Amino acid sequence: MTEPAAVLVIGATGTTGSRVVRGLVARGHRVRAASRSGALVPGAQGVRFDWYEHATHAPALDGTDRVYLVPPPACADPAGTMLPFLELARASGVRRAVLLSSSAIPAGGPAVGRVHRALPELFEEWAALRPSWFMQNFTGDHAHARSIREEGTIRTATGGGRVAFVDADDIADVAVHALTDARVPGTDLVVTGPAALGYDEVATILSEVGGRTVTHRHLTYEELRDRLALAMPVEFAAVLAGLDGDIAAGAEDRTTDTVLRVTGRRPRDFRTHVERAAAGAGTRRGPGPARPPRPGA
């Protein structure tokens, strides 16, 4: 008997990818979990994959008909790397592609927006997930979370702008449905949490739940860009700092019903996320907000 085709999950050890793998495995799907290390993932077949090593691409695609796409990290223009892979995927028999993009980047926009625009030309079955900024940015391994743990400070150039932060669990649940439901979305899905919050409000909730004062420090665009450029290419730092400017202008001050409509349940709110993260950290770490397992956006 021929073995059913598998779902290839790129970024399988990352914030959303690891959750997508778990969700697919729990539903009985075969999964090829792709990462640069090719690490074993419970219930899935670990395969080595690196966006910048073309020799890893065809082997990762072997026996797959659907793919979850996480763009290469800290890349200001991922289309040059991703589009040749997607052409190879189509030629290899992949029929459905689900892209992790960002609520801040529309189809045809900068960075991953070019990949989004190309999806319907490459695949009859496709979806582009455009999640808002991750709640895990404040409780995981993101620069915000590290700054909170080490200094009790969040630094942004968002001013009084508001964001409907979303839990990565909710993003992954939407992704699993987009990958496996009989009816493919065939569109972009803006995925948000249930309420838009300013960073001052975020700091207040983190302080109340963690029992330790967290403050929001307001930076200018230039201050944030230069600070980020210490840890990444200046071009990508400029992109991220510019996104903070968009937040300040109100670009992310919205909520959607995507999680409820696609999964049948309501998205998790920020306070509940922080409480869950703090409870999970209780036996592993000292004081301060928790640290479970990405993009940022």
Side-chain angles (χ1 to χ4, degrees), residues 194-257:
L197 303 172
Y199 280 78
D200 289 344
E201 294 172 276
V202 165
T204 296
I205 292 170
L206 289 167
S207 299
E208 292 172 352
V209 174
R212 169 189 175 205
T213 300
V214 177
T215 58
H216 174 211
R217 181 177 173 187
H218 297 252
L219 304 182
T220 65
Y221 163 83
E222 292 79 10
E223 289 171 334
L224 180 61
R225 179 200 60 202
D226 293 347
R227 182 177 180 84
L228 292 172
L230 297 173
M232 64 184 67
V234 65
E235 298 83 4
F236 193 63
V239 169
L240 293 183
L243 293 177
D244 268 26
D246 293 341
I247 291 171
E252 295 292 329
D253 191 358
R254 66 177 184 273
T255 60
T256 69
D257 68 348

Side-chain angles (χ1 to χ4, degrees), residues 51-72:
W51 280 114
Y52 303 109
E53 291 188 28
H54 293 174
T56 67
H57 293 182
L61 287 164
D62 185 43
T64 66
D65 68 351
R66 287 158 290 172
V67 59
Y68 179 66
L69 298 159
V70 176

Side-chain angles (χ1 to χ4, degrees), residues 138-139 145-152 206-207 209-214 277-279 281-291:
F138 303 102
T139 59
R146 293 194 297 271
S147 181
I148 290 165
R149 288 192 295 270
E150 295 166 7
E151 307 172 44
L206 289 167
S207 299
V209 174
R212 169 189 175 205
T213 300
V214 177
T283 60
R284 298 194 306 272
R285 302 182 59 84
R291 189 182 181 181

